[in-house]
Amino acid sequence: MLSLILLALLAHATSISCQNILEQRLNIIILAGQSNMAGRGGVANHSVRGIPTWDGDVPPQCQPNPWIFKLSADMAWVEAREPIHADIDAKKTNGIGPGMAFANAVLRKDPNFGLVGLVPCAIGGTNISQWQKGGFLYEQLVKRAQMALRSGGAYKAMLWYQGETDTIYKQDVELYQGRLKRFFNDLRSDLQAPRLPIFQVVLASGQGRYIEEVREAQLKLELPYVENVDAKGLPLEPDGLHLTTPAQVRLGDMLAHAFLHFQPNPLNTNHSPPIFVPFFFIIAQVFWMVISFS
């Protein structure tokens, strides 16, 4: 008898759950750039051989959330967990980045925001020339973003943190702003989202001596719907290059604040496909409702 009751409740809960969830679209957030976006918080050379390892510490602000998903390397939506870029920047040791802290902060500050779909694309050690149209990183970013859109939803923003590698050579510094502007324009064009908000993290560190010059190029970029979030002064790991875990948490919160206070015009997302609902999200909600009814 109890099993029949549970089945009835499950059927009832499924209809209610699906009906509620299907009213929401996936809010797509692209994460791109190099290592500080991919995340190196908590990564250090702990072993005798000097191989970088992650300490495994996931602060409360970066814990999994049933409303946050990520597009995996094999183009499947999965529950978002740190390290977010582990299967994307797979040749490096990944730790805490700003993505999960950002998503959790957005949901905490705006409980009605809805489902978050993170699209990680960052690769450590890359310069801006590698992100130009036609290159592998650019084409992969576009492919992953388009796949996310086809799953159902709308582009809400790109979080961009890059430039440390471009501080090494003066020629790269001189060409940086032009390359950056071209990258942003090409990306918006190919995603058919001309007003895509881009939240650019202004450098906190660099691999060369031209850090201030690259920062200046970033700060003086004249392009609509680009908001700067300055990371200068945030704590760095002992390598003097990568943000610590607390710094990444702080950066995620800063990005969330900028995002929620940014008021762009409605985005041109063309014809949105059917609404995306992760299957395991529905199951989790159904289970919760069954428990509630019982």
Side-chain angles (χ1 to χ4, degrees), residues 35-87:
S35 57
N36 270 318
M37 177 56 72
R40 299 293 187 266
V43 174
N45 295 330
H46 291 302
S47 67
V48 176
R49 291 182 295 175
I51 299 175
T53 56
W54 176 46
D55 61 15
D57 180 30
V58 180
Q61 300 91 331
C62 302
Q63 292 290 332
N65 184 316
W67 290 82
I68 305 174
F69 304 90
K70 83 158 192 175
L71 190 66
S72 67
D74 57 0
M75 301 292 189
W77 288 106
V78 299
E79 182 183 41
R81 290 180 169 274
E82 295 287 13
I84 288 292
H85 279 79
D87 60 337

Side-chain angles (χ1 to χ4, degrees), residues 128-201:
I128 191 62
S129 65
Q130 294 175 272
W131 289 93
Q132 299 301 291
K133 184 172 182 175
F136 174 79
L137 295 180
Y138 179 90
E139 300 303 327
Q140 186 72 1
L141 190 162
V142 171
K143 180 181 178 181
R144 288 176 56 74
Q146 290 175 338
M147 176 62 74
L149 189 67
R150 285 196 293 271
S151 299
Y155 299 131
K156 292 300 180 181
M158 178 172 76
L159 309 185
W160 172 255
Y161 192 168
Q162 189 279 334
E164 292 92 342
T165 303
D166 291 276
T167 64
I168 300 173
Y169 301 110
K170 188 175 182 180
Q171 182 179 5
D172 288 337
V173 175
E174 293 170 348
L175 297 173
Y176 186 82
Q177 190 178 90
R179 288 170 171 169
L180 183 64
K181 186 174 184 178
R182 185 162 56 250
F183 164 63
F184 287 166
N185 284 334
D186 285 342
L187 183 64
R188 284 171 166 168
S189 177
D190 286 339
L191 296 184
Q192 298 182 345
R195 296 190 181 101
L196 174 70
I198 297 173
F199 295 87
Q200 174 183 230
V201 180

Side-chain angles (χ1 to χ4, degrees), residues 13-28 66-70 76-79 114-117 147-154 273-286:
T14 300
S15 62
I16 295 175
S17 177
C18 290
Q19 181 179 359
N20 291 340
I21 297 169
L22 287 173
E23 294 176 356
Q24 302 198 44
R25 287 192 176 278
L26 190 67
N27 296 293
I28 299 169
W67 290 82
I68 305 174
F69 304 90
K70 83 158 192 175
W77 288 106
V78 299
E79 182 183 41
L115 299 175
V116 179
M147 176 62 74
L149 189 67
R150 285 196 293 271
S151 299
I275 298 170
F276 161 81
V277 183
F279 179 71
F280 65 84
F281 178 79
I282 296 177
I283 295 299
Q285 295 297 310
V286 169

Side-chain angles (χ1 to χ4, degrees), residues 89-143:
D89 194 15
K91 294 183 179 180
K92 306 287 179 63
T93 301
N94 291 268
I96 301 297
M100 281 298 289
F102 164 84
N104 274 312
V106 168
L107 293 176
R108 185 176 66 253
K109 296 176 182 183
D110 183 4
N112 297 317
F113 184 73
L115 299 175
V116 179
L118 301 176
V119 183
C121 300
I123 301 293
T126 54
N127 58 39
I128 191 62
S129 65
Q130 294 175 272
W131 289 93
Q132 299 301 291
K133 184 172 182 175
F136 174 79
L137 295 180
Y138 179 90
E139 300 303 327
Q140 186 72 1
L141 190 162
V142 171
K143 180 181 178 181

